């Protein structure tokens, strides 16, 4: 292993690899430590849909962060493809956020009040929706049309960020981190199953596993695994011209590899025992989710009744008690930063998280987001399971 890097990043999902990539771009010697394979957690089964219309964003800093990270992809996707040769299956298309009930229409229109100040979007009725995509159900009563959204393959993005970081001088080592090393109130390195590694700063970006480091810091890292599942289908017919989502029925996206992604389940779809079963349980696809997702898809697009199921993906998402990311310094400690808790927005928010952490490390403060208080770790005290369960019900995807 490379000895004495400047920064150790624990975790090599999209968030961890984004941190490594943005630090390496600025000349920092980075070591990424991952206990399994790169992208083996939430990043491997994510949809890769970058839309600003979901309920996970709220007015103010949350929406600012979503916009800032979306804008990162103006250059990031092309830079990574040129640097690594990995095809991200990247696409920009208009999107439709559909309402099949008055409740959904009210929810979408209430959010439009503050979203349309920043995004090129407008409401259209059901007939206008079907002019854009005639195969959609007559049950669609309307939706918001967004002039542009992005979708890409999340696992390929993860690989490209990791390989991009390596090409810029970072090292990626498959080692399980079992502890943090401290000198007084400063973290000076990590203990792995094969020895200790020292660094100026440690970044905890281990997704749902980040909470395992709470005891070393005597500080709660309030993030737990929330189960989610999605499907990939093959059907006869032309791809959808727009990227589709709905508050109660999830997404429907024609990918650039010819498959149709349908999903996904979230907190609203499980009882408390199923929702927080743990990472290993979460990786097991369920028949109930498969049937639920297929029925939702057919409700929106009846022609999918004869579609072929190609793959069912399941895994954990790192849920925070308020669904917002946990990013920044750990109170009372030097030499350690947290980047976790992105819930279902890790792919979307990974790049701006990498930029934020690089600014904290190199500049002493984050200046790419005007108000970071919403994301700082010190906003939480101990959180019980009921707070996570309430948060899970707010998750769209």
């Amino acid at each position: 292993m490379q000895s004495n890097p400047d920064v150790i990043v624990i975790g090599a999902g999209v968030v961890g690899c984004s941190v490594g990539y943005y630090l390496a771009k600025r000349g920092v010697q980075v070591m990424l430590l991952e206990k399994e394979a790169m992208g083996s957690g939430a990043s491997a089964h994510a949809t890769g849909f970058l839309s600003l219309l979901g309920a996970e964003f709220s007015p103010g800093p949350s929406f600012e962060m979503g916009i800032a990270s979306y804008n990162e992809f103006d250059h990031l996707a092309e830079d990574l493809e040129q640097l690594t040769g990995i095809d991200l299956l990247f696409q920009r298309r208009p999107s439709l956020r559909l309402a099949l009930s008055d409740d959904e229409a009210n929810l979408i229109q209430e959010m439009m009040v503050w979203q349309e100040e920043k995004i090129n979007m407008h409401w259209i009725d059901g007939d206008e929706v079907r002019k854009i995509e005639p195969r959609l159900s007559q049950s669609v009563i309307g939706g918001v049309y967004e002039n542009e959204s992005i979708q890409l393959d999340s696992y390929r993005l993860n690989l490209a960020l990791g390989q991009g970081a390596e090409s810029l001088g970072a090292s990626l080592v498959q080692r399980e981190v079992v502890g943090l090393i401290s000198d007084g109130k400063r973290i000076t390195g990590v203990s792995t199953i094969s020895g200790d590694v020292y660094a100026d700063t440690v970044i905890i970006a281990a997704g749902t596993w980040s909470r395992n480091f709470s005891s070393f810091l005597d500080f709660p890292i309030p993030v737990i695994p929330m189960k989610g599942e999605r499907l990939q289908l093959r059907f006869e017919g032309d791809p959808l011209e727009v990227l589709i989502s709905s508050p109660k029925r999830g997404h429907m996206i024609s990918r650039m590899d010819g498959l149709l992604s349908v999903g996904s389940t979230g907190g609203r779809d499980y009882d408390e025992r199923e929702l927080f079963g743990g990472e290993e349980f979460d990786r097991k696809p369920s028949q109930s989710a498969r049937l639920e997702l297929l029925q939702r898809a057919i409700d929106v697009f009846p022609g999918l009744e004869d579609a072929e199921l190609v793959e069912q993906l399941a895994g954990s998402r790192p849920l925070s008690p308020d669904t917002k990311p946990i990013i920044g310094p750990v109170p009372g400690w030097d030499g350690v930063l947290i980047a976790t808790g992105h819930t279902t927005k890790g792919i979307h928010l990974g790049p701006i998280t990498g930029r934020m952490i690089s600014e904290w490390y190199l500049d002493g403060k984050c200046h790419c987001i005007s108000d970071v208080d919403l994301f700082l770790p010190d906003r939480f005290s101990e959180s019980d399971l009921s707070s996570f369960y309430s948060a899970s019900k707010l998750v769209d995807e």
Side-chain angles (χ1 to χ4, degrees):
M1 286 197 296
Q2 170 190 334
S3 60
N4 300 323
D6 298 325
V7 174
I8 293 168
V9 180
I10 305 173
V14 162
V15 172
C17 286
S18 291
V19 171
Y21 175 76
Y22 279 83
L23 284 168
K25 276 189 73 173
R26 296 187 64 180
V28 178
Q29 291 297 307
V30 180
M31 177 184 290
L32 287 151
L33 292 172
E34 169 58 54
K35 71 174 184 176
E36 296 184 351
M38 187 192 306
S40 56
S43 301
H45 64 86
T47 305
F49 182 27
L50 279 60
S51 172
L52 291 159
L53 304 186
E56 288 85 0
F57 294 121
S58 56
S62 169
F63 202 41
E64 178 191 351
M65 185 183 186
I67 293 171
S69 204
Y70 186 94
N71 291 339
E72 285 290 309
F73 283 89
D74 287 344
H75 57 83
L76 178 64
E78 184 177 356
D79 290 349
L80 289 175
E81 289 186 339
Q82 291 181 352
L83 189 61
T84 67
I86 296 173
D87 181 359
L88 302 182
L89 302 181
F90 182 92
Q91 58 176 324
R92 292 182 188 271
R93 289 183 185 273
S95 68
L96 282 171
R97 188 155 175 79
L98 300 178
L100 280 77
S101 68
D102 290 337
D103 286 347
E104 284 184 305
N106 291 337
L107 175 62
I108 293 170
Q109 290 172 341
E110 286 170 5
M111 295 183 70
M112 285 180 67
V113 172
W114 51 269
Q115 290 171 338
E116 62 186 352
E117 295 178 3
K118 303 283 187 179
I119 304 175
N120 198 337
M121 57 191 285
H122 59 279
W123 177 265
I124 59 177
D125 64 24
D127 289 338
E128 291 175 293
V129 165
R130 284 178 287 275
K131 285 180 183 177
I132 295 170
E133 178 47 78
R135 294 171 293 181
L136 295 179
S137 169
Q138 291 294 318
S139 299
V140 175
I141 62 175
V144 62
Y145 180 92
E146 184 181 11
N147 284 33
E148 178 191 284
S149 291
I150 289 172
Q151 195 272 333
L152 45 67
D153 186 278
S154 61
Y155 184 60
R156 293 182 184 219
L157 173 66
N158 200 153
L159 293 180
L161 285 163
Q163 289 186 24
E166 285 186 296
S167 72
L168 295 170
S171 61
L172 176 63
V173 181
Q174 190 173 348
R175 293 287 189 279
E176 182 178 1
V177 177
V178 295
L180 303 177
I181 302 169
S182 61
D183 181 4
K185 297 298 288 183
R186 182 174 187 86
I187 297 299
T188 58
V190 302
S191 296
T192 78
I193 57 173
S194 58
D196 296 343
V197 188
Y198 294 89
D200 294 336
T201 297
V202 173
I203 315 295
I204 300 171
T208 65
W209 290 272
S210 297
R211 68 193 187 282
N212 295 346
F213 299 98
S214 296
S215 59
F216 298 98
L217 299 168
D218 193 27
F219 177 82
I221 303 177
V223 60
I224 64 174
M226 181 185 74
K227 188 172 186 177
E229 302 185 52
R230 72 179 176 94
L231 309 177
Q232 299 211 102
L233 308 178
R234 181 178 291 113
F235 75 104
E236 297 295 328
D238 294 332
L240 294 166
E241 291 295 327
V242 291
L243 309 178
I244 290 173
S245 67
S246 169
K248 295 183 179 180
R249 292 165 179 81
H251 73 266
M252 185 179 299
I253 292 169
S254 292
R255 291 163 44 96
M256 296 301 286
D257 58 5
L259 296 178
L260 183 75
S261 177
V262 169
S264 56
T265 58
R268 63 182 182 267
D269 301 307
Y270 298 98
D271 65 26
E272 195 166 329
R273 180 191 59 81
E274 293 176 312
L275 184 62
F276 303 131
E279 290 92 350
E280 294 307 316
F281 170 82
D282 289 352
R283 294 178 181 182
K284 298 175 183 177
S286 64
Q287 182 181 12
S288 59
R290 180 168 66 252
L291 295 174
E292 173 70 18
L293 292 173
L294 286 171
Q295 186 57 59
R296 285 186 202 165
I298 292 168
D299 287 346
V300 177
F301 188 177
L304 291 181
E305 198 162 27
D306 299 321
E308 173 192 356
L309 176 62
V310 175
E311 186 176 22
Q312 182 173 358
L313 299 162
S316 298
R317 292 87 168 274
L319 175 70
S320 74
D322 60 4
T323 75
K324 302 297 186 290
I326 306 169
I327 306 171
V330 178
W333 289 89
D334 293 321
V336 60
L337 296 155
I338 297 175
T340 189
H342 292 70
T343 309
T344 61
K345 291 296 182 181
I347 307 303
H348 186 144
L349 299 178
I352 200 63
T353 301
R355 185 175 291 280
M356 291 168 72
I357 292 292
S358 70
E359 290 176 354
W360 255 305
Y361 176 72
L362 288 163
D363 307 331
K365 65 177 182 177
C366 171
H367 45 76
C368 63
I369 301 295
S370 61
D371 182 1
V372 299
D373 288 353
L374 180 68
F375 313 112
L376 292 176
D378 65 5
R379 72 187 190 268
F380 295 116
S381 57
E382 290 283 355
S383 296
D384 62 22
L385 193 59
S386 63
S387 64
F388 287 104
Y389 192 60
S390 297
S392 75
K393 298 304 177 184
L394 303 175
V395 176
D396 252 3
E397 285 288 332

